[in-house]
Amino acid sequence: RAENDAQRGTAAGESARLTVQRETAVAWLARWFAADAERVIASQIDEAELAVATANAAYRAGKAPQGELLATQGMVIELKNRATDAAGQAKRARIGLARFIGAEAERPLGDPPDLARLPFDAARLEDVDAQPEIQLAKAQEAIAATEADLARASKVPDWSAELTYAVRGSPYSNMVSLMVSIDLPWSPGTRQDREHAAKLKELDAARAMREDTKRMRTAEVGTMLAEWESARAQAQRIKD
């Protein structure tokens, strides 16, 4: 049981490590996209202000209605409001990234990964048995199985032997003694049998939990892959 418990601790540590890596990557991408949004909106504001200058000149020359000038001015205001929101999102993104990497979050960001490609083969991503959450559930099931075996073993009387050599000195002679003890289960129908049955129920629960975790992770991976495929197709369509 101790070996299984150690394996469970290892699986829990690996799960926590990968969770931190995933959350750090998500925070990095959030900061990168927020900074990119600020850049794009700033360029849109520049273009909109040129449109305002053009519309103003056309209005003063009597070649454009006042409504067109007001529309371009309203566009600039709307874009500046979006720029304010983007700046707030960028600040929150830097704070979120600093949670994981500290002051390094203020450094300039490098290029993002190619989001149009999967980092692994799809078959590897769908192999959820290798995921730490599943390994943790399997370790918990192994512990439950061991505890059920221990409860079953407690129904069988165990024995022990103890050999003692006593140096008693004068006027007594030395003495050798041998003691044998046997455990006698008391009322096994109301104690050992019930404990074994309870451990078997816990084992069934651990198995069901492992199977449920596997199905849940399989569904999550399948859903994420489908969403990624859809988003990639839409992004490519917009780009084209």
Side-chain angles (χ1 to χ4, degrees):
R1 189 196 184 286
E3 290 178 352
N4 289 333
D5 201 26
Q7 292 178 1
R8 179 178 63 177
T10 300
E14 180 67 8
S15 177
R17 183 183 69 83
L18 293 177
T19 297
V20 171
Q21 284 187 348
R22 181 180 64 232
E23 295 301 323
T24 304
V26 170
W28 189 96
L29 288 171
R31 194 202 153 183
W32 189 90
F33 281 116
D36 195 48
E38 282 190 296
R39 178 187 60 79
V40 172
I41 294 175
S43 65
Q44 289 178 330
I45 291 175
D46 292 339
E47 294 291 335
E49 288 178 341
L50 288 175
V52 169
T54 302
N56 186 40
Y59 170 68
R60 291 183 180 276
K63 296 181 180 180
Q66 188 180 24
E68 183 176 334
L69 174 61
L70 293 176
T72 55
Q73 290 173 339
M75 184 185 302
V76 171
I77 294 174
E78 177 63 25
L79 286 172
K80 288 183 176 180
N81 288 337
R82 290 180 59 188
T84 301
D85 290 339
Q89 292 179 4
K91 184 176 181 179
R92 291 191 294 270
R94 287 195 299 271
I95 294 173
L97 184 58
R99 172 191 173 191
F100 298 101
I101 64 175
E104 297 292 319
E106 299 297 331
R107 294 180 57 186
L109 299 180
D111 295 330
D114 184 4
L115 301 179
R117 295 176 59 254
L118 290 175
F120 305 112
D121 184 77
R124 178 179 175 185
L125 293 175
E126 293 171 344
D127 182 18
V128 297
D129 284 330
Q131 295 187 8
E133 292 88 348
I134 308 301
Q135 295 298 318
L136 184 59
K138 287 182 177 180
Q140 187 62 45
E141 181 183 355
I143 290 177
T146 301
E147 290 181 342
D149 290 340
L150 291 174
R152 177 177 53 82
S154 67
K155 298 170 60 176
V156 180
D158 200 2
W159 65 274
S160 62
E162 180 180 349
L163 180 64
T164 305
Y165 181 78
V167 180
R168 303 194 294 179
S170 179
Y172 304 101
S173 59
N174 296 343
M175 182 179 68
V176 176
S177 60
L178 174 65
M179 181 176 67
V180 178
S181 61
I182 300 177
D183 295 331
L184 295 178
W186 181 264
S187 185
T190 58
R191 299 182 64 180
Q192 285 80 10
D193 289 348
R194 287 190 176 183
E195 181 181 0
H196 185 216
K199 295 300 181 181
L200 289 177
K201 290 295 184 181
E202 292 178 4
L203 175 58
D204 291 340
R207 287 172 177 168
M209 182 64 69
R210 188 255 306 160
E211 182 63 25
D212 180 68
T213 302
K214 181 177 179 179
R215 291 182 179 181
M216 180 183 66
R217 294 299 298 162
T218 300
E220 287 178 352
V221 170
T223 300
M224 286 189 288
L225 285 174
E227 291 176 350
W228 175 79
E229 287 283 0
S230 176
R232 184 180 65 165
Q234 294 179 39
Q236 187 63 42
R237 192 176 301 116
I238 294 172
K239 181 179 179 181
D240 294 341

